[in-house]
Amino acid sequence: MSPHHLALLLTGALLLALLALGVQLQRGHRLGRARWLHHALFFAVCVGTALSGTLAVLSGAFGWALLPALALLLTMPRTRPGRADHWQRALACAAAFAVGVWGAWG
């Protein structure tokens, strides 16, 4: 398995964990100190998306396909947790990442 495939899979797993934790927080489950973990996962997904795209470009794949997902992720702090725009942007990020992976898998 190439490094960019591994990075895409790892970032996808981190994104799924981020979304699952976000759903729990959105539903009102206060999972102890889960907010810091949510922010740490968010940072890891941002870094992983950028790294995956870079590795894909270096291996000759269409790494630029991950740019919309990265752009949506970087605008996420402009939304407010607990409001509809936050979870809607999160779902848009996940969809853009899925489409980006399909393009960057190459």
Side-chain angles (χ1 to χ4, degrees):
M1 180 176 294
S2 69
H4 89 277
H5 289 140
L6 186 60
L8 286 168
L9 291 174
L10 179 61
T11 304
L14 288 171
L15 180 60
L16 285 176
L18 175 66
L19 290 171
L21 183 57
V23 166
Q24 293 299 313
L25 290 170
Q26 184 77 23
R27 293 182 66 211
H29 297 273
R30 301 292 172 214
L31 305 172
R33 297 180 179 235
R35 191 168 304 274
W36 74 267
L37 178 59
H38 189 66
H39 291 153
L41 283 171
F42 173 75
F43 180 75
V45 168
C46 288
V47 171
T49 302
L51 180 65
S52 296
T54 302
L55 290 173
V57 166
L58 292 175
S59 70
F62 297 123
W64 54 264
L66 291 169
L67 285 177
L70 186 60
L72 285 169
L73 282 166
L74 294 178
T75 62
M76 195 71 182
R78 298 185 59 77
T79 65
R80 293 191 51 110
R83 295 183 56 165
D85 63 338
H86 195 72
W87 66 262
Q88 289 168 349
R89 179 84 46 100
L91 290 179
C93 289
F97 184 79
V99 171
V101 167
W102 183 65
W105 192 263

